[in-house]
Structures are given as C-alpha cells and as structure tokens.
Amino acid sequence: MTMIKGVAASNGIALAKAYKLVMPDLTVTKETVEDVEKEVQVYKDAVASTAKELAVIKEAASKNLSEEEAAVFDAHAQILADPEMETQVVDKITNEKVNAAAALEEVSNTFIMIFESMDDEYFKERAADVKDVSRRLLANLLGKPLPNPALIDSEVVIIADDLTPSDTAQLNKNLVKGFATNIGGRTSHSAIMARSLEIPAVVACKTITEDVQEGDFIILDGINGDVIINPDEDTIKEYEVKRDEYIAYKEELKQLVNEKTISTDGHQVELVANIGGAGDLPGVIENGGEGVGLFRTEFLYMESADLPTEERQFEVYKEILEAMEGKPVVVRTLDIGGDKKIEAIDLPDEMNPFLGVRAVRLCFQREDIFRTQLRALLRASVYGNLRIMFPMIATVQEFRKAKGILLEEKDKLVAEGIPVSDDFQVGIMIEIPAAAVLADVLAKEVDFFSIGTNDLIQYTFAADRMSSGVAYLYQPFNPSILRLVRNVINAAHAEGKWAGMCGEMAGEPLAGPLLLGLGLDEFSMSATSILAQRKLIRSLSKAEMEELANKCCDCATMDEVVALVKEASGQ
Ligand code: PEP
Ligand code: MG
C-alpha cells in the first residue's frame, strides 16, 4: 500500500482499478529477420487486431461523441485497409529482410512526408490521420497497445500525465469513477471539468504515472487530495464508509435546492453556476443554481474540427436562455488560448501562451470569428435574460473596442429586421491585475464585473496555473488578492453596478465568509459546490463577516487569513 499526496481538484471518493492513459514508448529498433514469411504474418496479424480495435473505438465513440467526431475512426479504418501501404510494407520485409515494425515506420514516414508536403489542406489533414493509424498499428506490433478512453469497459480510475479538456469531455461518467494526474492545479481546465462531471479528481501527483501499474487497485480521495495504491482490506473498508458518508452529506444538502441564500442578518446573495454547455443545465437546476454566471463558450468550439456556424451557436444560446426561464445567463465570448486549443483556429506558437494571443486578444485578430459569435448572441438575446461578458480585458480601450463591435453587429441586425433585445447587459471579466486596479474607471462603462480569480491569481503572483512547481502560489486567501477583490467590488458598487466572481475561489468554503463580508453580489461556481456554499452563507452574519474581511485584508500572509476565517466561521 502506497499513499501519494496531490492537490484535491474535485470532491468525492472513488475506489476502482487503475486505467493508465499513458502513451507507451514506441521507439523502433531495426533488425534483420530470417523467416520473412513469418514476419509478414506478424504484420498482417497486427493489422487485423488494429482493425478490431478501431471498430470497438468507433462503436464506443458513436455513443459518447458527435457523429462527426466518431466518423474520424471510419477514416482511420479506411487508411488501415488501404492496400498500397500494406503492399509497400510487405515488399520491404521480403526484399530487405527487416522486421515489420521497422518496415512500417519507414513506409508510413514516407506517406506522411508526401501528404504533408502537399499544398492542399485536405491532404495535410490526411497526414495526421496516417500518423495516428500507423502509431496504433506500430503499438500493436510492439505489443504495447495504445490506451483509449473509449476502450474502457469496466469501472476505473484514470491515471494520466494530464487530461486535455477534450479528453475529459469524452469520459464516460458511468465507468470513469475519477482521475489522478501528474500535473495540473485546482484551476486547470481538466479539474474544472471534473467538478462539473461530478467525478473526484486529484491532480499534481507528480509521478503518479510511474507509481501506478495498470490494473492496480486505487482509492482516490478528491476531498483531501490523496491517492492510495493497492490498499489493504481495512483501508478499503474505511474509505467505503467515507464514500457513503460523502454521498449522504450530498443528499442532505439537497434540502436547500429551492431556498434563497440569505445571511442571518438578512443580506441576500445570488449563487449561480459555471457551465460548459447545455448538457450541464440539469446539474444547475438539480443543485439549486439561480442562473448561469459563466458559460465558457469555447467548449462549443471544441465539438468539431470546424468553427461552429452562427446558426449552430444561435441554437445553443437560445436553448440555454430558454431553459433558464428568465434567470440571468452570463455568456462569455470566446476564450481560446492558454491551455485551451481548438483544431479550427491556428494559434501562434508562443513561449507563454497564457500571456499571449488569448481570448479577446485573439478575437480582435480574428474579427470574423468574433462577429459571428456576437451575431448569434444578439439574435438569441430575445429568448431570455442575457448578459454578454468579454474575457481578459486589460484596458478601457479593449472594452470600448469589443463593445463597439457588438453594437455595430446589433445595428446591422436591426437594419436587417432581425429582433434584438434592448436590455441585455454587457460586462467584463476582471482577471488581469491592470483591470482590477483600474476598476473604478472601468465601472463607469460596464454593466457588471465578474472576477476571474483563476487567472487573476496566476497573473498577480506570476505563477502559471498549470505548473505544479508553483502551485503553492495559488493563494486565493493572500491579502493581496483580497485587496484586489475588495477594490473591484467597491468600484462596482460606487457606480451602482453589480460584482460577481466566476473563478473557482467563489465555490471554496473558506472564501464564502470573506466574499460575503466584502459585499460580493453574485457567486458563480461549479454547480456541485452551490448547495454547500448556500448552507454555509445561511449560517453567517454579513456584518460580522464584513469585520472579518477587513481584518483579513490587513493580514500579512494567507495562513493568517485562513486561521482567522476558520475561527470566525467555525470551519
Ligand atoms: C478565471 O480565470 O477565473 C475564469 C473563470 O476563466 P477560465 O478559468 O476559463 O480562464
Ligand atoms: Mg480566465
């Protein structure tokens, strides 16, 4: 039994077998073979088992993914069945007496080079397909089959270096009971997705992919950030009890689903949810969300290899606005870049993508994409209570420019006779320190602020949110952050505007007392955190928390703040 300490990224406890989503080493050594006929057969057997594998993946993918995504595996099966490649590999084995793996590597590299050198986009994409197929085939030849979430057919805990947002989107929640990764932090997007999928996750375990062997039995404690490998019977029993207690606690919280979030001295705040798409809405309603405080629209752009059309976007925005029945829905315009990449947009290769062409900066470079999204949003505005939010605003000019483009598109739609609402709000995320400091000026021009602490903390501390080496600098309770948050809230209120928070901090139990005290109006978080935060805030006095928050802003360290909050709120 071994215990690994990581960062708790999504609550809950899972007990299941490990499934390693780790790419094996596929280095090939060229060898001379005597029995070429046998080697040709080895190759043909590997082709056959690869074809079977692709069929299984296709089958699973058509249940979990869109038709277009699943169709990729048909294309792969066709490439595998293409006689041209097979003939060349067989010739090479026979004429040069080389092993099948080396023959395949040489032949496929030639195919890839030819496709890549063509000017046509279609053939360039085929190069990527050939690369994928030959890697899978090579892996089978070397006896190290590639892992794939679609091949999972029993309950597992996934062990990986990291999971990309699109990996996470493909996970089948019924079988994947949780995941543990080498890298990442509480605010990496895989962690955020785990919380919306309601599966436990532990990240930043450093060497978990080496510590765990395929099939090891794993206990994943997403509450404390622990991973236990091959536990003894007593430990398994202990954690089964903890898991059941956690499930019971979640059930008890459900009593608060239809309650308001009012402090003991009568101050009401709104608790709303962060979502990645319409699929998250049932979770928002079940968990008592009073609206949507952040719709991360970039997930809409990850659905396929092409950009979503205006029509497709319009349908999604309309569906969400209608489903929320007049409750506020804050839709954030495209925030691609950083750790979020999409196939349809070629992002420049930058040394520091989180500091580069990201979010609204990218939208200014690709106004075509931006305008399409804004048109879709404006058209949907008549179906509910829409609030449009621009991410990564650093300067007043950026806000004016983004709003200017929005109003141009509005005028065009009105001229075309298309109905657009007259009372949607336009606000910004405060996630860059420059904007937090200048909040009093920005507050005169915007309708609202939503504080994005995930980025605000990484930029304030100059600590990459993806780097486990500097994870200790993710300090939401450092007085520096509290002062910035206080400045933003006060600036909004001075102009009669509202201030929300949609960074992960809004859902942290220790942040509840502080944010209530600082006067935050709207708390937006993973839907699964809402009820616990509601229970907590309903037990606190706003006046007392105001005093506490001001005291905390004068502290020297995060540890001092945490100690004061624990004492004052009984946590
Ligand atoms: C944030 O930065 O706090 C935020 C909510 O946006 P994202 O996590 O998508 O960058
Ligand atoms: Mg952000």
Side-chain angles (χ1 to χ4, degrees), residues 189 296 332 340 358 429 431 452-455 465 502-503:
H189 285 98
R296 288 186 165 94
R332 178 174 75 183
K340 284 176 289 191
R358 182 188 163 190
M429 292 202 55
E431 50 188 342
T453 46
N454 306 342
D455 280 314
R465 63 198 262 189
C502 58

Side-chain angles (χ1 to χ4, degrees), residues 310 375 379 408-420:
E310 180 184 318
R375 278 177 70 87
R379 282 174 54 200
E408 275 174 28
E409 289 308 317
K410 183 182 175 203
D411 289 346
K412 280 192 222 162
L413 285 169
V414 171
E416 288 167 38
I418 297 170
V420 177

Side-chain angles (χ1 to χ4, degrees), residues 187-189 192 274 294 296 298-299 332 335 337 339-340 354 358 389 391-392 429-431 450-459 465 474 501-505 524:
T187 63
S188 55
H189 285 98
I192 292 170
N274 294 347
L294 168 65
R296 288 186 165 94
E298 44 281 3
F299 291 107
R332 178 174 75 183
D335 180 2
D339 65 337
K340 284 176 289 191
F354 272 113
R358 182 188 163 190
M389 175 160 78
M392 295 283 291
M429 292 202 55
I430 298 280
E431 50 188 342
S450 184
I451 307 170
T453 46
N454 306 342
D455 280 314
L456 185 62
I457 296 168
Q458 78 159 341
Y459 296 137
R465 63 198 262 189
Y474 174 70
M501 178 179 286
C502 58
E504 292 305 302
M505 181 180 178
S524 191

Side-chain angles (χ1 to χ4, degrees), residues 121 126 155 173 248 271 309 351 365 374 436 520 549 561:
E121 264 315 303
R126 294 295 74 72
E155 292 191 353
K173 203 180 128 172
L271 298 194
T309 60
M351 291 279 282
Q365 287 191 5
L374 295 177
L520 192 76
V561 171

